[in-house]
Amino acid sequence: MGEEEFEPRIVVFACNWCSYAGIDLAGTSRIRYPYNVKIIKTMCSGRVHPEMVLKALEGGADGVLITGCHPADCHYISGNYKTMRRYLLLKKVLRELGLSERVKLEWISASEGDRWARVASEFVEHIRKLGPLRLKEVVESE
Amino acid sequence: MSDVRIGVYVCHCGKNIGGVIDPAKVTEFAGKLPNVVVARDYMYMCSSPGQSLIEEDIKRYGLNRVIVAACSPRMHEPTFQGVLKRTGLNPWLLQMVNIREHVTWVHDDVPQRAEEKAKELVAAAVARAAHLHEITTEKFPVVSSALVIGGGIAGIRASLDLANAGIKVYLVEKKQSIGGKMAQLDKTFPTLDCSQCILTPLMVEVSRHPNISIYAYSEVVDVSGSAGDFKVKVKLKPTYVDWDKCTGCGTCVEKCPGRAPKEFDEGLSNRKAIYFEFAQAVPRRPVIDAEHCLWFTRGICRVCEKVCPVGAIDYSQKERYVELNVGAIVVAIGYELYDLSKIREYGYGKFKNVVSGLQFERISSADGPTKGRILRPSDGKEPKTIGIVLCAGSRDEKHKKYCCRYGCAAALKHVYYIKHSIPDAKVLILYTDIRAFGKGYEEFYQRFRGEEDVFFIRGRPAEIFENKDGSLIFDVYDSNTGQLVNVKADLVVLEGAVEPPKEWESLRRLLKVSCDPGGFALELHPKLRPFETTSDGVFLAGAIQGPKDIPDTVAHAAAAAAAAIGFLSKGYVESVPYLAFVNEDICSGCGLCASVCPYDAITIEEKEGKRVAKVNVINCKGCGTCVATCPSGAMQQNYFTDTQLLSEVVSLAGGVK
């Protein structure tokens, strides 16, 4: 990695109906945000299995952002509530591993392109401050 | 996975993508990835030659996976799926990569990084594509009938359009008559048509239409099934009058000694305990208000029963239920006026001469409490100075943030009522902005702007106080002149905020429709699909989608009906492609999946002596929540299997070397 500035690698999960559409809207509105975030679409944030988050960190991501519809706005009625509960449980596990700070859940609606850009920028800066995770290197060396 | 043959197609989208990154470099990179047989870039991949390029490659190279790196899948996924279909490939062997909305449109300041990101996204898609599999959808027949909820002008228009297209319509109205808010208006802006004159013929048309059944004094209490085949339970509230026997002669109403405030006159007059909602009610059938009926409250009277010539009175009537089977549902429940007493400083509900705009309509109506003479409620005197307050509760952080979209034009119409009835009256319009946006509205505004004794003051009253004689005094800061104006008015009219009807919260949960920050129904797309919802087969007509005036409501309702007709006339609905499915070999039948399913689409069944989960393909909507809950990986989801998603995750997390 050398001496150059650390550029975080961030995996984002976005639900099809709200967050992915909101991220698209940031694009349509030409609102810039850091390139570090890479988006993976699921139909609902409720589809985000904890294993997907852990695999991302293990596979080299420095942070993971889960995004979904605001409470009461879920296209699938209650998927986002399931996401919220699963996220809180996952956070407990991550805290034990010292990784809690690297995973975040955010609600982004289809009309919040500007909010997405802000959330993405803040998360990238947050992870930049935490520094590289290098979990992949650790896993591969064992 | 036998012999994966991937073709990668990188679009320039003119300068949208090609102006930021070099698509040729991304293509060159893609060509070296595993399983990639061919990679090409082209100026406009969605154009006819672009599509042909892919089509020919599929045939020439025997491709069985196609990756298109271009715009958002929300834009052109169906377009490129069509290309695969034309060559006989299953459309779900396509993978889109969003390098426009997610890359070049937002990272144009760092083109080098943008190009790297595009490469990474393409690599992840290539990793994922190897695991794609064919998906088949099922077709289900639709029931060619529709439920319209709400019998105001939106519901009336939608019902007539549907019925005229040959579709059986069930119109459910919570009150005893259809007509809605429009029936209460004296005139409509900006044309000053008599509201009843243009509405009542439509009400009669609805009641006589062979394809429309009206369920008045009824409400929807349950909705099950899904698009194309909904089962709807409707509660018929007890009217204590056998409507089949009743002829609507009105003798009972005439003789009834009971009294109660008349809802149709917004409480400004009284009605009987047995009553028609209003004179032109459709259906013209009375209802006994048990709360005010002497028989129900004190066990005496029964006069209506004695005078009814056909024996239609039935005090023992109970609520009844009917089950309807419909293919589509049109929600046309409209709006309600915001409770203006919540705006404490205006004194509504406390001071008799502070009235709502709708009450003022009743005061101005020939069939209203004053027979159309503008008289103030406290003492029946003709008001000489009238204040009209706009944005009462609207565009207000403390109440409703949004614009009511009717108040400005209604206030101008009220100026007309006043000047027409009391030529020497002084009218003060207390406004924030005059938004005369509709066809003919600006002209309507200009007509009153210069009129004598009509004053436009830009400001809202600070606090309204009542004098002993019932007149009202308040200060208002006029931001046009920078002066504080002391006003003494005989009558104050509040053009109030609107909100969704109370029953909407429970109804929207039955229909699985989300709401916007104002609580109104969330449309599928604010510009392109404003009358559809994310719930298939459920359409929106009128103000439940957001505040609307009558012309917009009618246009919206007709559009909703057209969309519903299109949906029904197709004849079938397709199951969603993203269905969950079970690997029965590893399913332990624990039932966690069933417990999280929002649609009750999963049941646990006995199969060959073993408990396994079973997905009901009609109910499953493809959210995948069950998959993320399954502890053994037995539950999977089409197009979003664990293998597909994890290969994408690992690729993106690791990046490209």
Side-chain angles (χ1 to χ4, degrees), chain B residues 22 31 74 124 127 193 242 390 544 581 595:
Chain B
D22 185 353
R74 297 168 60 86
D193 284 293
D242 184 336
L390 274 67
I544 189 57
F581 61 94
S595 73

Side-chain angles (χ1 to χ4, degrees), chain B residues 532-545:
Chain B
E532 291 159 275
T533 69
T534 48
S535 239
D536 281 346
V538 178
F539 303 89
L540 304 170
I544 189 57
Q545 184 249 352

Side-chain angles (χ1 to χ4, degrees), chain B residues 320-362:
Chain B
R320 288 164 298 146
Y321 294 89
V322 289
E323 300 265 353
L324 304 173
N325 186 202
V326 296
I329 298 175
V330 177
V331 187
I333 64 170
Y335 66 95
E336 260 170 30
L337 284 175
Y338 180 58
D339 177 6
L340 297 176
S341 65
K342 287 184 184 165
I343 315 167
R344 291 251 163 135
E345 59 271 28
Y346 291 170
Y348 180 84
K350 200 162 67 172
F351 308 142
K352 275 191 165 174
N353 295 329
V354 177
V355 299
S356 71
L358 199 53
Q359 285 179 320
F360 194 65
E361 289 290 335
R362 297 313 304 149

